[in-house]
Amino acid sequence: MARPTLWLAPLLAVILIGAIRAPWSSVATVDERTYLEMSLGIRTSGLPLVDNGPVDRFAPLQARWNLYRHDRLWGTMSPGLAYLAAGLVDDDGIRAVVRLNIALLALLAVAIYATGSALTGDRDIGIASAYVGLLSIPVWTSSFGLLPYSLAITGFAWSLYCGARAQETGKRHWAAAAGLLAGLATTCQLLIFPLLCGLA
């Protein structure tokens, strides 16, 4: 039991130190700007509204599922992160969301370790899985901005673990947790939904 904890501890320490020291405090991409606008829209109106230009003159901006109100749109992106970020941006601006995104990678590492260990019965494979999963470039780079991927991937990973536990034990509370976490992941990134079809 001590050996897996010992090997996983350095990875978790690096992640949490990175989260505390993260210097980023501004948006760099159009998607980040949209999530910031959605968060600010939630703070002012309760809805993730964005100002992507004069909607009446540029009808293509309004997708069928958009909510159009007072020349503003409900963003086409999933609003899960925006609702969470709406409360965080008051604390330390965008930096608070970036720090949360990086800290979530520690929870992701634990989820990957737990899933790998549970599915194979080998804790060493669980540790290797956590390192491989967390050291991949897309996981890190997507956490360095006002983007939903850390929250979505972490929710998906824990959903997968709970689904595996439900399958193993037959207990409904694991299945319910898998469903709730899957829902959380999907509210942050709709592309998670096709991945979750395997859990059905």
Side-chain angles (χ1 to χ4, degrees):
M1 185 68 155
R3 190 175 63 164
T5 306
L6 180 66
W7 282 103
L8 202 54
L11 180 62
L12 299 179
V14 167
I15 292 168
L16 294 175
I17 290 169
I20 292 167
R21 299 193 46 87
W24 298 278
S25 61
S26 65
V27 296
T29 67
V30 174
D31 285 354
E32 288 179 272
R33 185 207 68 169
T34 301
Y35 280 112
L36 179 60
E37 286 186 3
M38 289 169 69
S39 300
L40 297 176
I42 289 166
R43 287 175 55 202
T44 57
S45 70
L47 291 173
L49 301 174
V50 296
D51 183 14
N52 277 333
V55 182
D56 54 341
R57 289 189 4 222
F58 297 101
L61 287 174
Q62 184 173 359
R64 283 194 292 278
W65 56 83
N66 283 149
L67 175 64
Y68 174 58
R69 192 174 84 178
H70 304 300
D71 295 329
R72 293 169 70 86
L73 291 171
W74 178 307
T76 57
M77 299 179 182
S78 301
L81 175 72
Y83 276 99
L84 179 63
L88 291 175
V89 291
D90 282 337
D91 294 338
D92 197 14
I94 295 165
R95 185 178 292 127
V97 181
V98 173
R99 287 178 172 166
L100 172 68
N101 275 343
I102 296 171
L104 281 169
L105 296 181
L107 284 176
L108 177 59
V110 174
I112 295 171
Y113 162 74
T115 304
S117 299
L119 292 178
T120 65
D122 188 338
R123 290 180 176 163
D124 289 337
I125 292 178
I127 292 169
S129 301
Y131 272 92
V132 169
L134 267 290
L135 294 179
S136 65
I137 290 174
V139 172
W140 277 100
T141 55
S142 66
S143 68
F144 293 157
L146 185 62
L147 296 168
Y149 304 114
S150 291
L151 188 56
I153 294 168
T154 302
F156 172 74
W158 279 107
S159 178
L160 183 62
Y161 171 74
C162 291
R165 294 288 294 154
Q167 188 76 12
E168 178 187 338
T169 64
K171 304 245 171 141
R172 291 184 180 175
H173 67 273
W174 286 112
L180 288 171
L181 289 164
L184 169 69
T186 305
T187 65
C188 296
Q189 176 55 255
L190 287 177
L191 292 177
I192 292 288
F193 183 75
L195 300 175
L196 293 168
C197 290
L199 286 177

